[in-house]
């Protein structure tokens, strides 16, 4: 019996040693990682921003995230505001870069022959649901096709200090000229100058009055051919300004040299300014944060034109690109969703994506959505008379004209 047990133990040991000597089965190989959508693609982006600006910081973050997600590397060249002096020559020469940004007017009018048609890609992405029709339609009118995507919208109108309105007991923003004058009277009674005005923006202020009474097409006609003094609506627009000045509604010293008057809003001595939304950042950076509000330039009774100024910095793709879809996806990645919201929050700008949340200037998205065709920035004044118009715009606020007819006669005298 002992011999049998010994033999069994020996057999077990032999079998154990054999098992230990056997090679382990090879582990199955992990499946190869799927290549990223744009693996190996490189994009070159010429930006109008400068290193360190809030917009540049967000764009850099977006580019890094886009590369991590899609594999496409975005090489950013920060050109700063000089980009407008560089683009025409570079595009004409066929220089190899993929994406650039600039004023959407220049993209639509000057650079259009060198830009990529984004129509199909935008339709596939549902861009019409998140963009602004007023900008898209304008780009199509200029270029013949959609050739830019809005990066930073701007809107013009009246920007005001909410604290000043509260002090004066103004609870609703004015829509008509009569309501506006009533608000000015309340501010004046509260010891707050109603309107700040720098001479740099006097022409823009006057233009709002002219547009409300005349419309831009009529301004273009009068500016080219004369007839201001014979036009009752033009005279009425000028008289409106003169009456406003005579009522004492301008800040002391206005029209000042830029930016002396607008900073009075930040100092609490003035309540409003007529400008585009970038004025908010200008004042905030100069004298401290203001709790800004916004409303469209008020409409006088019996005036039908309620257009608002609207402009934009936009992004476009060059026709020389070899990676149009990747470039388009990068643009949308930057101006919508997470990074679009960061542009809004970190840069205090109006959303480029209408589904995003406004950080400042509540109502600006609705105002842009309600704008069919943007009012230009004094764009229908004849180029040969532009400087004269600018001078006369300052002078009317300086009280140098007895009445609206005298100002209109001066406009007719411009050569």
């Amino acid at each position: 019996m002992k011999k049998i047990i010994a033999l069994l133990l020996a057999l077990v040991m032999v079998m154990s040693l054999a098992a230990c000597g056997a090679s382990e089965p090879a582990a199955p190989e992990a499946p190869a990682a799927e290549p990223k959508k744009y693996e190996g693609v490189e994009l070159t982006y010429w930006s109008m921003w400068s290193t360190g600006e809030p917009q540049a910081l967000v764009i850099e973050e977006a580019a890094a995230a886009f590369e991590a997600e899609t594999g496409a590397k975005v090489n950013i060249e920060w050109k700063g505001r000089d980009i407008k002096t560089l683009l025409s020559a570079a595009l004409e020469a066929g220089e190899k870069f993929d994406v650039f940004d600039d004023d959407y007017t220049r993209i639509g009018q000057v650079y259009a022959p060198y830009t990529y048609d984004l129509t199909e890609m935008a339709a596939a992405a549902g861009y019409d649901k998140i963009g602004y029709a007023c900008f898209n339609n304008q780009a199509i009118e200029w270029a013949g096709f959609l050739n830019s995507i809005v990066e930073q919208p701007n809107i013009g109108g009246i920007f005001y200090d909410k604290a000043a309105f509260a002090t004066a007991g103004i609870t609703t923003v004015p829509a008509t000229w009569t309501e506006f004058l009533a608000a000015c009277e309340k501010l004046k009674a509260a010891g707050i100058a109603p309107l700040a005005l720098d001479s740099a923006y006097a022409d823009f202020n006057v233009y709002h009055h002219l547009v409300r009474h005349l419309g831009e097409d009529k301004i273009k006609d009068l500016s080219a051919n004369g007839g201001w003094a014979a036009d009752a609506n033009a005279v009425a627009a000028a008289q409106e300004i003169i009456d406003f000045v005579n009522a004492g509604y301008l800040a002391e010293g206005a029209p000042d040299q830029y930016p002396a008057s607008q900073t009075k809003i930040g100092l609490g001595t003035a309540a409003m300014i007529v400008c585009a939304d970038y004025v908010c950042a200008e004042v905030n950076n100069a004298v401290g944060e203001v709790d800004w509000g916004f409303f469209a330039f008020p409409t006088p009774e019996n005036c039908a034109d309620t257009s608002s100024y609207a402009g934009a910095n936009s992004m476009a793709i060059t026709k020389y690109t070899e990676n149009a879809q990747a470039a388009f996806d990068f643009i949308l990645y930057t101006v919508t969703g997470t990074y679009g919201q960061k542009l809004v929050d970190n840069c205090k700008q109006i959303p480029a994506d209408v589904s995003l949340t406004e950080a400042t200037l509540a109502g600006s998205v609705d105002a842009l959505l309600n704008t069919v065709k943007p009012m230009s920035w004094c764009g229908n004044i004849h180029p040969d008379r532009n400087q004269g118009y600018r001078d006369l715009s300052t002078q009317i606020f300086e009280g140098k004209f007895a009445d609206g007819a005298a100002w209109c006669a001066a406009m007719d005298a411009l050569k």
Side-chain angles (χ1 to χ4, degrees), residues 338-364:
T338 299
Y339 296 100
Q341 190 66 57
K342 286 192 174 186
L343 285 172
V344 172
D345 296 337
N346 298 4
C347 310
K348 300 295 187 290
Q349 67 182 50
I350 297 169
D353 173 351
V354 302
S355 68
L356 300 177
T357 302
E358 291 168 310
T360 57
L361 302 180
S364 55

Side-chain angles (χ1 to χ4, degrees), residues 223 381-389 414-415:
S223 182
I381 298 295
H382 193 281
D384 292 345
R385 298 168 182 82
N386 185 57
Q387 186 56 53
Y389 164 72
L414 293 177
K415 302 300 182 184

Side-chain angles (χ1 to χ4, degrees), residues 147-204:
N147 76 328
S148 65
I149 299 295
V150 170
E151 173 187 13
Q152 183 188 59
N154 298 121
I155 193 163
I158 298 184
F159 300 86
Y160 69 96
D161 178 5
K162 291 180 180 178
F165 270 42
T167 297
I170 302 168
T171 56
T172 58
V173 295
T176 69
W177 189 248
T178 299
E179 292 171 354
F180 179 65
L181 294 178
C184 288
E185 193 60 34
K186 287 184 178 181
L187 288 162
K188 185 180 175 183
I192 303 168
L195 191 71
L197 177 66
D198 289 312
S199 57
Y201 298 130
D203 59 337
F204 187 54

Side-chain angles (χ1 to χ4, degrees), residues 71 86 152 162 197 210 230-231 252 257 302 304 346 355 367:
L86 304 172
Q152 183 188 59
K162 291 180 180 178
L197 177 66
L210 296 177
D231 191 295
E252 185 179 356
Q257 289 297 310
N302 303 318
N346 298 4
S355 68

Side-chain angles (χ1 to χ4, degrees), residues 120-306:
E120 292 185 5
M121 291 186 290
Y127 181 63
D128 61 319
K129 295 180 177 62
I130 59 175
Y132 297 97
C134 63
F135 295 125
N136 297 340
N137 293 341
Q138 189 78 85
I140 293 167
E141 180 181 329
W142 287 331
F145 54 88
L146 182 66
N147 76 328
S148 65
I149 299 295
V150 170
E151 173 187 13
Q152 183 188 59
N154 298 121
I155 193 163
I158 298 184
F159 300 86
Y160 69 96
D161 178 5
K162 291 180 180 178
F165 270 42
T167 297
I170 302 168
T171 56
T172 58
V173 295
T176 69
W177 189 248
T178 299
E179 292 171 354
F180 179 65
L181 294 178
C184 288
E185 193 60 34
K186 287 184 178 181
L187 288 162
K188 185 180 175 183
I192 303 168
L195 191 71
L197 177 66
D198 289 312
S199 57
Y201 298 130
D203 59 337
F204 187 54
N205 198 315
V206 170
Y207 200 76
H208 274 84
H209 292 267
L210 296 177
V211 166
R212 290 292 181 265
H213 286 275
L214 298 166
E216 287 207 277
D217 289 343
K218 185 62 176 180
I219 293 172
K220 184 175 183 178
D221 174 51
L222 293 175
S223 182
N225 303 310
W228 291 93
D231 191 295
N233 291 325
V235 172
Q239 188 63 50
E240 196 171 82
I241 299 170
I242 292 168
D243 291 343
F244 182 89
V245 173
N246 291 340
Y249 294 148
L250 282 182
E252 185 179 356
D256 288 327
Q257 289 297 310
Y258 167 86
S261 192
Q262 68 181 39
T263 56
K264 291 173 184 174
I265 298 175
L267 298 173
T269 59
M272 299 179 285
I273 191 165
V274 179
C275 200
D277 57 280
Y278 52 72
V279 74
C280 303
E282 290 177 350
V283 173
N284 290 349
N285 292 337
V287 292
E289 294 285 327
V290 172
D291 186 9
W292 291 98
F294 163 79
F295 57 94
F297 195 88
T299 304
E301 286 69 14
N302 303 318
C303 291
D305 195 320
T306 59

